[in-house]
Amino acid sequence: MSALPLHCTKCGTPFPQAALNAPDFVPCAVCGNPVLAMVFPALLRPQGPGARAENILVEGESSCFYHPTKKAMIPCDGCGRFLCTLCDVEFGSQHLCPVCIENAPKKGKLSQLEHSRYHYDTIALMLAAYPLLFFIMCWPAMVATAPLSFYYCIRHWNTPLSVVPRTRIRFVLAFFFASLQVLGMGMLVLSLVLGY
Amino acid sequence: MAEQSVEYRRLPGRMLIYMANRQCLYAGPDHLLLLTTSYFTESYKRFYYGDIQAVTLQKTSTGAAWNMLLGLSLAVLVAAIAMPFLFDGEGWAVLAVFAAIFAGAVLAALVVNVAKGPTCDCYIVTAVHQEQIRSLGRVRAARKALALLQPILKTVQGELNPDNAEEALAAACAGREPNAPAGAMPAHAPRRDSGNVHLALFLFVFVDAAVRVAGILSLSFAPYALMLLVTLALLCLIVAALVRQHRNDMPPPLRNTVWALFIYACFLAGVVYIYEVMRQMEMQLGMQGQKLEFTEFRQILTQVTGVVAVACDVILGSLGLVFLRNYLRFQSAAETAAAETAAPET
């Protein structure tokens, strides 16, 4: 059973039953706001009690790495440590300990646990494009931004960009704009040196 | 622990929250991925298909409010464009050019907003939380996404059995556990309000009307500064009333009256802004020796706004007081009935 009832977020009143899996919106009983809810069998699934770890009864029995008084039930698929039912985290087909779960995103393993990523391609493109867009105010910054843009393009070309499909077009554009800036600066320096 | 690559399919709907913050929903093989992009980072939230208990949609008036605001702005700008044909003076031509540029932008925004259709709030409900999906902020996009999601969720969770689901769904709607008594209070019962803030607001609206009448009659105690102060105080009271009426059991007419007052106050603020811009333009150009004749228009604007404001004050204030009285009567009647029901039991 849901701990959170289905309620109208405008007035806090529970949804009218007619609004559940209805083809169209139904007005809320109090505020009249049209509401609609698509409910699924998970709503009716009973929430069972949490797992309980068994105590060690016989001396010499394998114990949990994190709870020495609890009986080990399964080894961690990540680090091999013995785990009790309390520490065993079932993740897909794997059984992992909390420490492995905590470290997985940092090490780049288990992409399902990743909660954020940087867009290095956007950083490179902004570094290359902003001085061009705001040329009058930002042109001296090109001396720093163009090489930085090159750095990001080369350093992070192979870094995974996003968990969803994303092309490397921004890197290509950043490289092109940064090249233009470097070329322009080079020509300027050359013209100053040669006295044109 | 090998990295697993996941194939995602983008669902309809995309929402620009503010500045560079965007949100988008993707369907994966065993979960939904809510992707929020903020400047140079993107963050993910995953909802496993087996955990999704419900998807709720609630229509909002945000789209209609934007339509109204953009429509009003467009009307004001069109009026500004028409000014050179009605009044003489170089300043009007300059004003008309600027107004035409802004009108183009406002018209484009209005067309886009109308084309996107009505707005809604979409939530994904699980056993432990309720997450708003801002990317599904339009009814059309939300329905399309739901149409794509329903078969997937049915495959994972199976069909809802209507025979044994009736009682459990009724309990879910009542906001109580299935075994709780039928009369038990729901966990999220709407809050009751004393109505004091609303009463203060509707009474103050009449004060505003009195000051404006004095302004129209050019009485000495109603200068421009006093009217500005009263408008500011009115705005503060409206905001306080809007905060108070959030998630309480006030009826829609009472709530909408406060929203109407809010729109009216915004209109007043807009008129004051236009008035001030004209006054400043006159002063600046006057200092440079150029003549700009807005005085006549400003007088007409003040008079017309004054009359409209007094009418709005009286109508909305009276309506508000009537609706508030009905609400308080209903509330006291409900309390009396509840006390009478409880008395025999004790």
Coordinates of all heavy atoms in Angstrom, one line a residue, chain A residues 1-2 4-5 8-12 14-15 17 20-21 23-24 30-31 33-45 47 109 111-112 114-119 123 126 162-164, chain B residues 1 4 8 26 33 35 37 40-44 46 50 52-59 123 127 129-130 143 150 153 157-158 160 165-166 168 170 172-173 175 177-178 188 190 247 252:
Chain A
M1 N 0.8 -1.2 0.0 CA 0.0 0.0 0.0 C 0.9 1.2 0.0 O 1.9 1.3 0.7 CB -0.9 0.0 1.2 CG -1.8 1.2 1.4 SD -2.9 1.4 0.0 CE -3.1 3.1 0.1
S2 N 0.5 2.2 -0.8 CA 1.3 3.5 -0.9 C 1.3 4.2 0.5 O 0.3 4.4 1.1 CB 0.6 4.3 -1.9 OG 1.2 5.6 -1.9
L4 N 2.3 7.3 0.4 CA 1.8 8.6 0.0 C 0.5 8.4 -0.8 O 0.5 7.7 -1.8 CB 2.8 9.2 -1.0 CG 4.1 9.7 -0.4 CD1 5.1 9.9 -1.6 CD2 3.9 11.0 0.3
P5 N -0.6 8.8 -0.3 CA -1.9 8.7 -1.1 C -1.8 9.5 -2.3 O -1.1 10.5 -2.4 CB -2.9 9.1 -0.1 CG -2.3 10.1 0.8 CD -0.8 9.6 0.8
C8 N -4.3 15.6 -4.7 CA -4.2 16.8 -5.5 C -3.1 17.7 -4.9 O -3.2 18.0 -3.7 CB -5.5 17.6 -5.5 SG -5.5 19.2 -6.3
T9 N -2.1 18.1 -5.7 CA -1.0 18.9 -5.1 C -1.4 20.3 -4.9 O -0.7 21.1 -4.3 CB 0.2 18.8 -6.1 OG1 -0.2 19.1 -7.4 CG2 0.9 17.5 -6.0
K10 N -2.6 20.7 -5.5 CA -3.0 22.1 -5.3 C -3.7 22.3 -4.0 O -3.5 23.3 -3.3 CB -4.0 22.4 -6.5 CG -4.2 23.9 -6.7 CD -5.0 24.1 -8.0 CE -5.4 25.6 -8.1 NZ -6.3 25.7 -9.3
C11 N -4.6 21.4 -3.6 CA -5.3 21.6 -2.4 C -5.1 20.5 -1.3 O -5.5 20.6 -0.2 CB -6.8 21.7 -2.6 SG -7.5 20.1 -3.2
G12 N -4.4 19.4 -1.7 CA -4.0 18.3 -0.8 C -5.1 17.3 -0.6 O -5.0 16.4 0.2
P14 N -7.4 14.0 -1.4 CA -7.2 12.8 -2.1 C -7.9 12.8 -3.4 O -9.0 13.4 -3.5 CB -7.7 11.7 -1.2 CG -7.5 12.3 0.2 CD -7.8 13.8 0.0
F15 N -7.4 12.1 -4.4 CA -8.0 12.1 -5.8 C -9.4 11.5 -5.7 O -9.6 10.5 -5.0 CB -7.2 11.3 -6.7 CG -6.1 12.1 -7.4 CD1 -5.7 13.3 -7.0 CD2 -5.5 11.5 -8.5 CE1 -4.7 14.0 -7.6 CE2 -4.5 12.2 -9.2 CZ -4.1 13.5 -8.7
Q17 N -12.1 8.8 -6.9 CA -11.8 7.5 -7.4 C -12.1 7.4 -8.9 O -11.5 6.6 -9.7 CB -12.7 6.4 -6.7 CG -12.0 5.1 -6.7 CD -12.7 4.0 -5.9 OE1 -13.5 4.4 -5.1 NE2 -12.5 2.8 -6.3
L20 N -9.1 7.7 -11.4 CA -8.1 6.6 -11.6 C -8.4 5.9 -12.9 O -9.5 5.4 -13.1 CB -8.2 5.6 -10.4 CG -8.1 6.2 -9.0 CD1 -7.9 5.1 -8.0 CD2 -6.8 7.1 -8.9
N21 N -7.3 5.8 -13.7 CA -7.4 5.2 -15.0 C -8.5 5.6 -15.9 O -9.1 4.9 -16.7 CB -7.4 3.7 -14.9 CG -6.1 3.2 -14.3 OD1 -5.0 3.9 -14.4 ND2 -6.1 2.0 -13.7
P23 N -10.4 7.9 -18.9 CA -10.0 8.3 -20.2 C -9.7 9.8 -20.2 O -8.9 10.3 -21.0 CB -11.1 7.9 -21.1 CG -12.3 7.8 -20.2 CD -11.8 7.4 -18.9
D24 N -10.4 10.6 -19.4 CA -10.2 12.0 -19.4 C -10.1 12.6 -18.0 O -10.3 11.9 -17.0 CB -11.4 12.7 -20.1 CG -10.9 14.0 -20.8 OD1 -9.8 14.4 -20.6 OD2 -11.7 14.5 -21.6
V30 N -12.5 19.2 -4.1 CA -12.5 20.5 -3.3 C -12.1 21.7 -4.2 O -12.9 22.6 -4.3 CB -11.4 20.3 -2.2 CG1 -11.2 21.7 -1.5 CG2 -12.0 19.3 -1.2
C31 N -11.0 21.6 -4.9 CA -10.6 22.8 -5.7 C -11.1 22.8 -7.1 O -11.0 23.8 -7.8 CB -9.1 22.9 -5.7 SG -8.2 21.6 -6.5
N33 N -9.9 21.4 -9.6 CA -8.8 21.3 -10.6 C -8.9 20.0 -11.3 O -9.0 18.9 -10.7 CB -7.5 21.4 -9.8 CG -6.3 21.5 -10.7 OD1 -6.4 22.1 -11.8 ND2 -5.2 20.9 -10.3
P34 N -8.9 19.9 -12.7 CA -9.0 18.7 -13.4 C -7.8 17.8 -13.1 O -6.6 18.2 -13.2 CB -9.0 19.1 -14.9 CG -9.3 20.5 -14.9 CD -8.8 21.1 -13.6
V35 N -8.0 16.5 -12.7 CA -7.0 15.6 -12.3 C -7.2 14.3 -13.0 O -8.3 13.9 -13.4 CB -6.9 15.4 -10.8 CG1 -6.4 16.6 -10.0 CG2 -8.2 14.9 -10.2
L36 N -6.1 13.5 -13.1 CA -6.1 12.2 -13.8 C -5.0 11.4 -13.2 O -3.9 11.9 -13.1 CB -6.0 12.4 -15.3 CG -5.9 11.2 -16.2 CD1 -7.2 10.4 -16.2 CD2 -5.6 11.5 -17.6
A37 N -5.2 10.1 -12.9 CA -4.2 9.3 -12.4 C -4.2 7.9 -13.1 O -5.2 7.3 -13.2 CB -4.3 9.1 -10.9
M38 N -3.0 7.5 -13.6 CA -2.8 6.2 -14.2 C -2.2 5.4 -13.1 O -1.1 5.6 -12.7 CB -1.9 6.3 -15.4 CG -2.5 7.0 -16.6 SD -3.9 6.0 -17.3 CE -4.9 7.3 -17.9
V39 N -3.0 4.4 -12.5 CA -2.4 3.6 -11.4 C -2.0 2.2 -12.0 O -2.6 1.7 -12.9 CB -3.4 3.5 -10.2 CG1 -3.6 4.8 -9.6 CG2 -4.7 2.9 -10.7
F40 N -1.0 1.7 -11.3 CA -0.5 0.4 -11.8 C -0.4 -0.6 -10.6 O -0.5 -0.2 -9.5 CB 0.9 0.6 -12.4 CG 1.0 1.6 -13.5 CD1 1.4 2.9 -13.3 CD2 0.5 1.2 -14.7 CE1 1.3 3.8 -14.3 CE2 0.4 2.2 -15.8 CZ 0.9 3.5 -15.6
P41 N -0.3 -1.9 -10.9 CA -0.4 -2.9 -9.8 C 0.6 -2.7 -8.7 O 0.3 -3.1 -7.5 CB -0.1 -4.2 -10.5 CG -0.5 -4.0 -11.9 CD -0.2 -2.6 -12.2
A42 N 1.7 -2.0 -8.9 CA 2.6 -1.7 -7.8 C 2.0 -0.9 -6.6 O 2.4 -1.0 -5.5 CB 3.8 -0.9 -8.3
L43 N 0.9 -0.2 -6.9 CA 0.2 0.6 -5.9 C -0.4 -0.3 -4.9 O -0.6 0.0 -3.7 CB -0.8 1.5 -6.6 CG -1.6 2.4 -5.7 CD1 -0.7 3.6 -5.2 CD2 -2.8 3.0 -6.3
L44 N -0.9 -1.5 -5.4 CA -1.6 -2.4 -4.5 C -0.7 -3.5 -3.9 O -1.1 -4.3 -3.1 CB -2.7 -3.1 -5.3 CG -3.6 -2.2 -6.1 CD1 -4.6 -3.0 -6.9 CD2 -4.3 -1.2 -5.2
R45 N 0.6 -3.4 -4.3 CA 1.5 -4.5 -3.8 C 1.8 -4.2 -2.3 O 2.2 -3.1 -1.9 CB 2.8 -4.4 -4.6 CG 3.7 -5.6 -4.4 CD 4.8 -5.5 -5.5 NE 5.5 -4.2 -5.4 CZ 6.2 -3.7 -6.4 NH1 6.3 -4.3 -7.6 NH2 6.8 -2.6 -6.3
Q47 N 3.7 -3.8 1.2 CA 5.1 -3.5 1.5 C 5.5 -4.4 2.7 O 5.0 -4.2 3.8 CB 5.3 -2.1 1.9 CG 5.0 -1.1 0.8 CD 6.1 -1.1 -0.3 OE1 7.3 -1.1 0.0 NE2 5.7 -1.0 -1.5
K109 N 32.1 2.5 -12.6 CA 31.5 1.2 -12.8 C 30.0 1.4 -12.5 O 29.6 2.3 -11.8 CB 32.1 0.2 -11.9 CG 33.6 -0.1 -12.2 CD 34.2 -0.9 -11.1 CE 35.7 -1.1 -11.4 NZ 36.4 -1.8 -10.3
S111 N 27.0 1.9 -14.5 CA 26.4 3.1 -15.1 C 25.1 3.5 -14.5 O 24.6 4.6 -14.5 CB 26.4 3.1 -16.6 OG 25.5 2.0 -17.0
Q112 N 24.3 2.4 -14.0 CA 23.0 2.7 -13.5 C 23.0 3.5 -12.2 O 22.0 4.1 -11.8 CB 22.2 1.4 -13.2 CG 21.9 0.6 -14.4 CD 22.9 -0.6 -14.5 OE1 24.1 -0.4 -14.4 NE2 22.3 -1.7 -14.7
E114 N 25.2 6.0 -11.7 CA 25.8 7.3 -12.0 C 24.7 8.3 -11.8 O 23.6 8.1 -12.4 CB 26.3 7.3 -13.4 CG 27.8 7.7 -13.4 CD 28.2 7.8 -14.9 OE1 27.7 7.0 -15.7 OE2 29.1 8.6 -15.1
H115 N 24.9 9.4 -11.1 CA 23.9 10.4 -11.0 C 24.2 11.8 -11.6 O 23.3 12.6 -11.7 CB 23.4 10.6 -9.5 CG 24.6 10.9 -8.6 ND1 25.1 12.2 -8.5 CD2 25.3 10.1 -7.8 CE1 26.1 12.1 -7.7 NE2 26.3 10.9 -7.2
S116 N 25.4 11.9 -12.1 CA 25.7 13.2 -12.9 C 26.9 13.0 -13.8 O 27.8 12.1 -13.5 CB 25.9 14.3 -11.9 OG 27.1 14.2 -11.2
R117 N 27.0 13.8 -14.8 CA 28.1 13.8 -15.7 C 28.4 15.2 -16.2 O 27.4 16.0 -16.2 CB 27.9 12.9 -16.9 CG 28.3 11.5 -16.7 CD 28.2 10.7 -18.0 NE 28.3 9.3 -17.8 CZ 28.3 8.4 -18.7 NH1 28.1 8.7 -19.9 NH2 28.3 7.1 -18.4
Y118 N 29.6 15.5 -16.5 CA 30.0 16.8 -17.0 C 29.9 16.8 -18.6 O 30.2 15.8 -19.2 CB 31.4 17.2 -16.6 CG 31.5 17.7 -15.2 CD1 32.1 16.9 -14.2 CD2 31.1 19.0 -14.9 CE1 32.2 17.3 -12.9 CE2 31.2 19.4 -13.6 CZ 31.7 18.6 -12.6 OH 31.8 19.0 -11.3
H119 N 29.5 17.9 -19.1 CA 29.4 18.1 -20.6 C 30.7 18.8 -21.0 O 30.7 20.0 -21.1 CB 28.2 18.9 -21.0 CG 26.9 18.1 -21.0 ND1 25.7 18.7 -21.1 CD2 26.7 16.8 -20.9 CE1 24.8 17.8 -21.0 NE2 25.4 16.6 -20.9
I123 N 31.5 22.7 -22.5 CA 32.5 23.6 -22.0 C 33.4 24.1 -23.1 O 33.7 25.3 -23.2 CB 33.3 22.9 -20.8 CG1 32.3 22.5 -19.7 CG2 34.4 23.8 -20.3 CD1 33.0 21.7 -18.6
M126 N 31.6 26.5 -25.5 CA 31.4 27.8 -24.9 C 32.7 28.6 -24.9 O 32.7 29.8 -25.1 CB 30.8 27.7 -23.5 CG 29.4 27.1 -23.4 SD 28.3 28.2 -24.2 CE 27.7 27.2 -25.6
S162 N 27.5 11.4 -22.2 CA 26.2 11.3 -21.5 C 25.7 9.9 -21.6 O 26.2 9.1 -22.4 CB 25.2 12.2 -22.3 OG 23.9 12.1 -21.8
V163 N 24.8 9.6 -20.7 CA 24.3 8.2 -20.7 C 23.2 8.0 -21.8 O 22.9 6.9 -22.2 CB 23.6 7.8 -19.4 CG1 24.6 7.8 -18.2 CG2 22.4 8.6 -19.0
V164 N 22.7 9.1 -22.3 CA 21.8 9.1 -23.5 C 22.6 9.5 -24.7 O 23.7 10.0 -24.6 CB 20.6 10.1 -23.3 CG1 19.8 9.7 -22.1 CG2 21.1 11.5 -23.1
Chain B
M1 N 32.4 -6.0 -11.6 CA 31.4 -5.0 -11.8 C 31.6 -4.3 -13.2 O 32.3 -3.3 -13.3 CB 31.4 -3.9 -10.7 CG 30.8 -4.4 -9.4 SD 30.6 -3.1 -8.3 CE 32.3 -2.7 -7.9
Q4 N 27.7 -1.4 -17.7 CA 26.7 -1.8 -18.6 C 26.2 -0.6 -19.4 O 25.8 0.4 -18.9 CB 25.5 -2.4 -17.8 CG 25.9 -3.6 -17.1 CD 25.1 -3.8 -15.8 OE1 24.0 -3.2 -15.6 NE2 25.5 -4.7 -15.0
Y8 N 18.6 4.1 -24.5 CA 17.5 4.9 -24.1 C 16.7 5.5 -25.3 O 17.3 5.8 -26.3 CB 18.0 6.1 -23.2 CG 18.5 5.7 -21.9 CD1 19.8 5.7 -21.6 CD2 17.6 5.4 -20.9 CE1 20.3 5.3 -20.4 CE2 18.1 5.0 -19.6 CZ 19.4 5.0 -19.4 OH 19.9 4.7 -18.1
Y26 N 13.6 9.9 -20.5 CA 14.0 8.8 -21.4 C 13.5 7.5 -20.9 O 13.4 7.2 -19.7 CB 15.5 8.7 -21.6 CG 16.1 9.9 -22.3 CD1 16.4 11.1 -21.7 CD2 16.4 9.8 -23.7 CE1 16.9 12.2 -22.3 CE2 17.0 10.9 -24.3 CZ 17.2 12.1 -23.7 OH 17.8 13.1 -24.4
L33 N 14.4 7.3 -17.2 CA 15.6 8.2 -16.8 C 15.1 9.6 -16.9 O 14.7 10.1 -18.0 CB 16.8 7.9 -17.7 CG 18.0 8.8 -17.3 CD1 18.8 8.1 -16.2 CD2 18.9 8.9 -18.6
L35 N 16.4 13.2 -17.0 CA 17.7 13.8 -17.2 C 17.5 15.4 -17.1 O 16.7 16.0 -17.8 CB 18.2 13.5 -18.6 CG 19.6 13.9 -19.0 CD1 20.2 12.8 -19.9 CD2 19.6 15.2 -19.6
T37 N 19.5 18.8 -17.3 CA 20.8 19.5 -17.7 C 20.8 20.9 -17.1 O 19.9 21.7 -17.2 CB 20.8 19.6 -19.2 OG1 20.5 18.3 -19.8 CG2 22.2 20.1 -19.7
F40 N 26.7 23.0 -17.5 CA 27.7 22.0 -18.1 C 27.6 20.7 -17.4 O 28.4 19.8 -17.6 CB 29.1 22.6 -17.9 CG 29.3 23.9 -18.4 CD1 29.7 25.0 -17.7 CD2 29.0 24.2 -19.8 CE1 29.9 26.2 -18.2 CE2 29.2 25.5 -20.3 CZ 29.6 26.5 -19.5
T41 N 26.5 20.5 -16.6 CA 26.4 19.1 -16.0 C 25.0 18.6 -16.3 O 24.1 19.4 -16.5 CB 26.5 19.2 -14.5 OG1 25.6 20.1 -13.9 CG2 27.9 19.5 -14.0
E42 N 24.9 17.3 -16.3 CA 23.6 16.7 -16.4 C 23.4 15.7 -15.2 O 24.4 15.0 -14.9 CB 23.3 16.1 -17.7 CG 24.2 14.9 -18.1 CD 23.9 14.3 -19.5 OE1 23.3 15.1 -20.3 OE2 24.2 13.2 -19.7
S43 N 22.3 15.7 -14.6 CA 22.0 14.8 -13.5 C 20.9 13.8 -13.8 O 20.0 14.2 -14.6 CB 21.7 15.6 -12.2 OG 20.7 16.5 -12.4
Y44 N 21.0 12.7 -13.2 CA 20.0 11.6 -13.6 C 19.2 11.2 -12.4 O 19.7 11.1 -11.3 CB 20.7 10.4 -14.1 CG 21.8 10.7 -15.1 CD1 23.1 10.4 -14.8 CD2 21.5 11.3 -16.3 CE1 24.2 10.7 -15.7 CE2 22.5 11.6 -17.2 CZ 23.8 11.3 -16.9 OH 24.8 11.6 -17.8
R46 N 16.5 7.9 -11.7 CA 16.0 6.6 -12.3 C 14.7 6.1 -11.6 O 14.7 6.1 -10.4 CB 17.0 5.6 -12.4 CG 18.2 5.9 -13.3 CD 19.3 4.9 -13.1 NE 20.5 5.2 -14.0 CZ 21.4 6.1 -13.7 NH1 21.4 6.7 -12.6 NH2 22.4 6.4 -14.6
G50 N 9.2 -1.4 -12.2 CA 8.5 -2.2 -11.2 C 8.1 -1.4 -10.0 O 7.2 -1.8 -9.2
I52 N 7.1 2.0 -10.1 CA 6.1 3.1 -10.4 C 4.7 2.6 -10.0 O 4.2 1.7 -10.6 CB 6.2 3.5 -11.9 CG1 7.6 4.0 -12.2 CG2 5.2 4.6 -12.2 CD1 7.9 4.3 -13.6
Q53 N 4.1 3.3 -9.1 CA 2.8 3.0 -8.6 C 1.7 3.7 -9.4 O 0.6 3.2 -9.6 CB 2.6 3.4 -7.1 CG 3.5 2.5 -6.2 CD 3.2 2.8 -4.8 OE1 2.8 3.8 -4.4 NE2 3.5 1.8 -3.9
A54 N 2.0 5.0 -9.8 CA 1.0 5.8 -10.5 C 1.7 6.9 -11.2 O 2.8 7.4 -10.8 CB 0.0 6.3 -9.5
V55 N 1.1 7.4 -12.2 CA 1.5 8.7 -12.9 C 0.3 9.6 -12.8 O -0.8 9.2 -13.3 CB 1.9 8.4 -14.3 CG1 2.3 9.7 -15.0 CG2 3.1 7.4 -14.4
T56 N 0.4 10.7 -12.2 CA -0.7 11.6 -12.0 C -0.5 12.9 -12.9 O 0.6 13.4 -13.0 CB -0.9 12.0 -10.6 OG1 0.2 12.8 -10.1 CG2 -1.1 10.8 -9.7
L57 N -1.6 13.3 -13.4 CA -1.6 14.6 -14.2 C -2.6 15.5 -13.6 O -3.7 15.1 -13.2 CB -2.1 14.3 -15.7 CG -1.2 13.4 -16.5 CD1 -1.9 13.3 -17.9 CD2 0.2 14.0 -16.7
Q58 N -2.3 16.8 -13.5 CA -3.2 17.8 -12.9 C -3.1 19.0 -13.8 O -2.0 19.6 -14.0 CB -2.8 18.2 -11.5 CG -2.9 17.0 -10.6 CD -2.5 17.3 -9.2 OE1 -2.9 18.4 -8.7 NE2 -1.7 16.5 -8.6
K59 N -4.2 19.4 -14.4 CA -4.2 20.5 -15.3 C -3.9 21.8 -14.5 O -4.4 21.9 -13.3 CB -5.6 20.7 -16.0 CG -5.7 20.0 -17.3 CD -6.9 20.4 -18.0 CE -7.0 19.6 -19.3 NZ -8.3 19.8 -20.0
Y123 N 3.3 13.9 -12.2 CA 4.0 13.4 -11.1 C 4.2 11.9 -11.3 O 3.2 11.2 -11.7 CB 3.4 13.6 -9.7 CG 3.4 15.0 -9.3 CD1 2.3 15.9 -9.7 CD2 4.3 15.5 -8.5 CE1 2.3 17.2 -9.3 CE2 4.3 16.9 -8.1 CZ 3.3 17.7 -8.5 OH 3.3 19.0 -8.1
A127 N 6.5 4.1 -4.0 CA 6.1 3.8 -2.6 C 6.7 4.8 -1.6 O 6.2 5.0 -0.5 CB 6.6 2.4 -2.3
H129 N 8.3 8.1 -2.7 CA 8.3 9.5 -3.0 C 7.4 9.8 -4.2 O 6.8 8.9 -4.9 CB 9.7 10.0 -3.2 CG 10.3 9.6 -4.6 ND1 10.1 8.4 -5.1 CD2 11.0 10.4 -5.4 CE1 10.8 8.4 -6.3 NE2 11.3 9.6 -6.5
Q130 N 7.3 11.1 -4.5 CA 6.5 11.6 -5.6 C 7.3 12.7 -6.3 O 7.7 13.7 -5.7 CB 5.2 12.2 -5.0 CG 4.3 12.8 -6.0 CD 2.9 13.1 -5.4 OE1 2.1 12.2 -5.1 NE2 2.6 14.3 -5.2
R143 N 0.3 13.1 -22.3 CA -0.6 12.0 -22.8 C 0.2 11.1 -23.8 O 0.0 9.9 -23.8 CB -1.8 12.6 -23.5 CG -2.9 13.0 -22.5 CD -4.2 13.3 -23.3 NE -5.3 13.7 -22.4 CZ -6.1 12.8 -21.8 NH1 -5.9 11.5 -21.9 NH2 -7.1 13.3 -21.0
Q150 N 2.5 3.2 -20.8 CA 1.5 2.2 -20.3 C 1.8 0.8 -20.8 O 1.8 -0.1 -19.9 CB 0.1 2.7 -20.7 CG -0.5 3.5 -19.6 CD -1.9 3.9 -19.9 OE1 -2.2 4.3 -21.0 NE2 -2.8 3.9 -18.9
L153 N 4.8 -0.6 -18.8 CA 4.5 -0.8 -17.4 C 3.6 -2.0 -17.2 O 3.7 -2.8 -16.3 CB 3.9 0.4 -16.7 CG 4.9 1.6 -16.5 CD1 4.1 2.9 -16.2 CD2 5.8 1.3 -15.4
Q157 N 4.6 -5.0 -14.9 CA 3.8 -5.2 -13.6 C 2.6 -6.0 -13.8 O 1.9 -6.4 -12.9 CB 3.4 -3.8 -13.1 CG 4.5 -2.9 -12.6 CD 4.1 -1.7 -11.9 OE1 3.0 -1.6 -11.4 NE2 4.9 -0.7 -11.8
G158 N 2.1 -6.2 -15.1 CA 0.9 -6.9 -15.3 C -0.3 -6.0 -15.3 O -0.2 -4.8 -15.1
L160 N -4.0 -4.5 -13.9 CA -4.6 -4.2 -12.7 C -5.9 -5.1 -12.6 O -6.7 -4.9 -13.5 CB -4.9 -2.7 -12.6 CG -5.1 -2.1 -11.2 CD1 -3.9 -2.2 -10.4 CD2 -5.6 -0.7 -11.3
A165 N -9.1 -5.0 -6.7 CA -8.4 -3.6 -6.7 C -9.4 -2.6 -6.1 O -8.9 -1.5 -5.6 CB -8.0 -3.2 -8.1
E166 N -10.7 -2.8 -6.2 CA -11.7 -1.8 -5.8 C -11.5 -1.2 -4.4 O -11.4 0.0 -4.3 CB -13.1 -2.5 -5.9 CG -14.2 -1.5 -6.0 CD -14.4 -0.8 -7.3 OE1 -13.8 -1.3 -8.3 OE2 -15.0 0.2 -7.4
A168 N -8.9 -1.6 -2.4 CA -7.5 -1.0 -2.2 C -7.4 0.4 -2.9 O -6.8 1.3 -2.3 CB -6.5 -1.9 -2.8
A170 N -9.9 2.4 -3.4 CA -10.7 3.3 -2.6 C -10.0 3.8 -1.4 O -10.0 5.0 -1.0 CB -12.0 2.6 -2.1
A172 N -6.7 4.0 -1.3 CA -5.6 4.9 -1.8 C -6.2 6.3 -2.0 O -5.5 7.3 -1.7 CB -5.0 4.3 -3.1
C173 N -7.4 6.3 -2.5 CA -8.0 7.6 -2.8 C -8.4 8.3 -1.5 O -8.3 9.6 -1.4 CB -9.3 7.5 -3.6 SG -8.9 7.1 -5.3
G175 N -6.7 8.1 1.1 CA -5.5 8.5 1.8 C -5.2 7.8 3.1 O -4.6 8.3 4.0
E177 N -4.7 3.7 5.2 CA -4.3 2.3 5.0 C -5.5 1.5 4.7 O -6.6 1.8 5.2 CB -3.6 1.8 6.3 CG -2.2 2.5 6.5 CD -1.2 2.2 5.4 OE1 -1.1 1.1 5.0 OE2 -0.5 3.1 5.1
P178 N -5.4 0.3 4.0 CA -6.6 -0.4 3.7 C -7.3 -0.9 4.9 O -8.6 -1.1 4.9 CB -6.0 -1.6 2.9 CG -4.7 -1.2 2.4 CD -4.2 -0.2 3.4
H188 N -3.4 13.3 4.1 CA -3.2 14.6 3.5 C -4.4 15.5 3.4 O -4.8 16.0 2.4 CB -2.6 14.5 2.1 CG -1.2 13.9 2.1 ND1 -0.1 14.7 2.0 CD2 -0.7 12.7 2.3 CE1 1.0 14.0 2.1 NE2 0.6 12.7 2.3
P190 N -6.9 18.5 3.5 CA -6.6 19.9 3.2 C -6.7 20.8 4.5 O -7.6 20.5 5.3 CB -7.6 20.3 2.1 CG -8.7 19.3 2.2 CD -8.0 18.1 2.7
R247 N -2.9 25.0 -0.7 CA -3.3 23.7 -0.1 C -4.2 23.9 1.1 O -4.0 23.2 2.2 CB -2.0 23.0 0.4 CG -1.2 22.4 -0.7 CD -0.3 21.4 -0.3 NE 0.4 20.8 -1.4 CZ 1.3 19.8 -1.3 NH1 1.5 19.3 -0.2 NH2 1.8 19.4 -2.4
P252 N -13.0 27.2 -5.1 CA -12.4 27.8 -6.3 C -12.8 29.2 -6.5 O -11.9 30.0 -6.9 CB -12.8 26.9 -7.4 CG -13.1 25.6 -6.8 CD -13.6 25.9 -5.4

